Amino acid sequence: MPPAPRRIDVHQHIVPAFYRDRLAEAGIAEAGGRTLPGWSAEDALGTMDLLGTATAIVSVSAPGTAFLADPDEAAELARRLNDHCAALPTEHPGRFGWFATLPMPDVTACAAEARRALDELGADGVVLLANSAGTYLGADGQDALWRTLDEREAVVFVHPAELPAPAVDGIPPFAADFLLDTTRAAYLLVRNGIVRRYPRVRFILSHAGGFLPYASHRLAGPLAGDTGRSPLDVLDDLRGFYFDTALSSTPAALPTLLAFARPGHVLFGSDWPFAPAAGAQYFANGLDTGVDPATLAAVNRTGAEALFPRLATASCAVPPARPAPVRLRHAAQRTAARLFFRLLQPGTG
């Protein structure tokens, strides 16, 4: 019998039917080169039980509302998405939190919706795409939004989008471009002083920060040159970000992330349903078998509890027992995923 679920997943997505329909009206059937997945709360809960996840903080993935050219339409869609997400914690107590969608790049509308979502709807933070219609986080003219978020000590979940340039034939954007997109946003947030001027905003970078941990010292040189600050100060800013483990808990990536990030700044992420359950299991196994127990506890739960205090004071959500066939199927899936993970590790074949 597996232990009661304990993970807090900060990188799980929601694809409501009305949002899928709105994308279809705009001729959009995929995100980042992947077909839009199906979503339901029941399927989400089933995958969470499989992964040992107590609570998932859900968000809308790319393209968010940036595909709409009319700012009023984008703001209305953001409001509808946020109203929808706000109902999940009530419908499934203890199992869901949510990041509010903001209609970037309209900064005034974003600040207004952030106030509504955080102050009235109880959002756990906001999700912002690294770039929205080519405008990157950290660009000039966004201070009204950062002030609003700083006043509320908000958590900002930074998710990549497709680069503001044509994709390269044969390379799906999610495979490589997404990592660069996140790295670009983090670079500008440091270069343009956002993380220093608004220190109460906490940023979570998706997918282990893209290329950031691996290339941090390389990035620190030009950042120091541009800002006139020391490379050590720049590296300190880069280490101030939080990072999730979505698609990144491997023997190649995880040691670099843990070596670079501050203690408690690495959080569990699954990227479900854009990452199918089998893929989420694969990377969760990399985390479970690749770190010491204290670090694992911090990644799985205590780091997120510090970032989201309400989750630390709430009792751990334990789902109702699943029927025996479901429990057996989950056990078989976990065993198969562990075996598959070991087969793909260097030196074990």
Side-chain angles (χ1 to χ4, degrees):
M1 182 78 173
R6 291 287 296 170
R7 300 191 211 265
I8 296 172
D9 185 350
V10 303
H11 189 155
Q12 188 180 126
H13 293 301
I14 183 171
V15 190
F18 71 83
Y19 180 63
R20 179 192 297 277
D21 292 344
R22 195 64 183 274
L23 291 172
E25 291 171 6
I28 299 171
E30 60 180 35
R34 278 184 167 166
T35 301
L36 289 172
W39 182 89
S40 72
E42 182 59 31
D43 286 344
L45 292 169
T47 301
M48 289 161 63
D49 294 349
L50 179 66
L51 298 178
T53 298
T55 303
I57 304 178
V58 299
S59 57
V60 173
S61 184
T65 64
F67 69 98
L68 294 169
D70 185 331
D72 291 336
E73 288 186 19
E76 176 57 33
L77 180 57
R79 286 191 291 270
R80 188 175 179 189
L81 286 166
N82 293 335
D83 289 341
H84 181 85
C85 287
L88 279 175
T90 300
E91 294 168 356
H92 306 278
R95 303 307 306 274
F96 290 108
W98 60 287
F99 292 124
T101 298
L102 301 184
M104 286 289 273
D106 185 335
V107 171
T108 300
C110 282
E113 184 60 15
R115 288 190 292 269
R116 187 182 83 95
L118 294 168
D119 297 350
E120 300 175 21
L121 301 183
D124 291 291
V126 304
V127 55
L128 291 172
L129 298 181
N131 91 86
S132 297
T135 299
Y136 272 90
L137 300 183
D140 293 339
Q142 298 173 356
D143 289 276
L145 174 59
W146 301 130
R147 280 195 300 271
T148 297
L149 298 175
D150 189 70
E151 289 167 359
R152 289 157 177 80
E153 301 183 20
V155 175
V156 175
F157 177 58
V158 179
H159 193 279
E162 295 190 22
L163 296 176
V168 175
D169 188 37
I171 304 178
F174 77 85
D177 294 357
F178 270 20
L179 303 176
L180 175 58
D181 201 47
T182 300
T183 305
R184 284 178 168 182
Y187 189 104
L188 287 175
L189 288 168
V190 171
R191 181 192 183 278
N192 294 340
I194 304 303
V195 297
R196 293 223 160 189
R197 294 206 306 276
Y198 304 100
R200 292 181 294 183
V201 178
R202 281 76 51 81
F203 293 93
I204 303 173
L205 302 182
S206 299
H207 312 118
F211 301 127
L212 179 60
Y214 176 80
S216 55
H217 288 254
R218 177 172 178 165
L219 301 176
L223 279 169
D226 283 348
T227 62
R229 296 166 49 214
S230 76
L232 288 177
D233 282 347
V234 169
L235 285 168
D236 190 55
D237 282 354
L238 294 175
R239 293 182 70 237
F241 290 113
Y242 289 78
F243 306 85
D244 75 50
T245 63
L247 309 182
S248 305
S249 301
T250 69
L254 190 57
T256 300
L257 175 60
L258 292 172
F260 177 73
R262 290 178 183 169
H265 279 224
V266 179
L267 313 172
F268 179 76
S270 70
D271 211 348
W272 187 86
F274 286 90
Q281 276 187 280
Y282 175 85
F283 289 101
N285 283 331
L287 175 64
D288 291 342
T289 61
V291 300
D292 62 87
T295 301
L296 181 61
V299 174
N300 276 343
R301 189 167 186 92
T302 58
E305 285 181 332
L307 202 55
F308 305 100
R310 77 170 184 86
L311 299 181
T313 57
S315 59
C316 180
V318 178
R322 296 272 174 171
V326 175
R327 296 199 304 271
L328 289 172
R329 185 173 71 248
H330 282 180
Q333 288 174 302
R334 283 188 286 264
T335 299
R338 283 193 295 269
L339 290 172
F340 184 67
F341 184 85
R342 293 193 186 104
L343 283 173
L344 292 186
Q345 302 319 304
T348 62

